[in-house]
Amino acid sequence: MDAQLIAFTGVAAGMVAMPGADFTVVVRNALVSRRAGLACALGVAGGLLLHTLLAVAGVAAVLAAVPALFRALQLLGGGYVLYLGARTLWSLRRTRVPAAEATATAASAARPLRQGFVTNALNPKAPITFLSLLPQFVPAGSPALPRTLVLALIVVVLALLWFPAVALLVDRLGRWLRQPRAARAVETVTGAALTLLGVLLLLEPLRAA
């Protein structure tokens, strides 16, 4: 592996592991069950795959060239994250989740998979970031497409390592985290974090308008 690939892997690892909406939504689903956490983690990785492919295809340049479209996607993504946070906080009005509801949620991987994918996919900053980052690690004179595909693959592999690891760690601590007081505290923190992230995402395009 050449020095540029090693450097890119380090930069990409930092970007993937940076706490944000993706991390929070994976933790929240992992508290439901290991299956839900892993499904959500795969959804996040799927969103990153979409962003890197868009960057490779150059579609992300359209978002950079059309500010109105970029702001619309920002508002849509912020609204979705805010919805997840508000829904989490609203669920705290009950002292406990009914057993049947918890079992049904744990049994289905579709909802957490969708939540992970949509949370990541609706972040328009990601393709812009990758569009500006990937070319920096393409050696002069080398074919751009094969190299950027390799870089995109590295990002997705890192996501497939990091987010499932987060889900498994939360599940490992599940016996303590799922105790009523601890579970309520974690749900409060994750709900508040998602709500705050959603508000910040909504405010940013409004300030830029």
Side-chain angles (χ1 to χ4, degrees):
M1 183 179 290
D2 58 47
Q4 279 194 326
L5 283 182
I6 294 174
F8 175 80
T9 301
V11 172
M15 291 172 57
V16 169
M18 187 179 299
D22 295 335
F23 180 87
T24 307
V25 79
V26 169
V27 169
R28 182 181 182 278
N29 278 282
L31 286 172
V32 176
S33 71
R34 178 187 301 181
R35 182 179 182 182
L38 290 175
C40 186
L42 291 177
V44 170
L48 280 171
L49 175 61
L50 173 64
H51 286 310
T52 52
L53 290 178
L54 286 175
V56 169
V59 177
V62 176
L63 292 177
V66 185
L69 178 58
F70 182 79
R71 286 196 294 271
L73 286 176
Q74 278 186 303
L75 290 171
L76 188 60
Y80 183 74
V81 173
L82 179 60
Y83 160 75
L84 290 179
R87 180 179 176 182
T88 300
L89 294 176
W90 179 253
S91 69
L92 293 174
R93 74 192 190 281
R94 297 170 296 187
T95 56
R96 60 166 53 178
V97 178
E101 181 181 337
T103 302
T105 305
S108 174
R111 177 180 293 180
L113 180 69
R114 183 173 62 250
Q115 285 185 355
F117 178 80
V118 174
T119 298
N120 187 276
L122 288 181
N123 177 11
K125 286 186 175 182
I128 301 296
T129 301
F130 286 120
L131 184 66
S132 61
L133 180 66
L134 295 182
Q136 309 302 319
F137 294 90
V138 177
S142 298
L145 182 59
R147 180 72 167 195
T148 50
L149 286 174
V150 170
L151 298 177
L153 180 62
I154 289 174
V155 174
V156 176
V157 169
L158 288 171
L160 287 172
L161 292 173
W162 170 248
F163 289 107
V166 170
L168 291 173
L169 177 62
V170 172
D171 181 71
R172 182 81 172 179
L173 299 172
R175 179 175 297 182
W176 176 77
L177 292 174
R178 293 188 185 102
Q179 291 177 3
R181 286 187 179 180
R184 192 172 184 84
V186 172
E187 283 285 286
T188 301
V189 170
T190 55
L194 285 170
T195 301
L196 178 61
L197 286 169
V199 171
L200 292 175
L201 288 171
L202 287 172
L203 288 178
E204 185 168 342
L206 293 176
R207 287 198 302 265

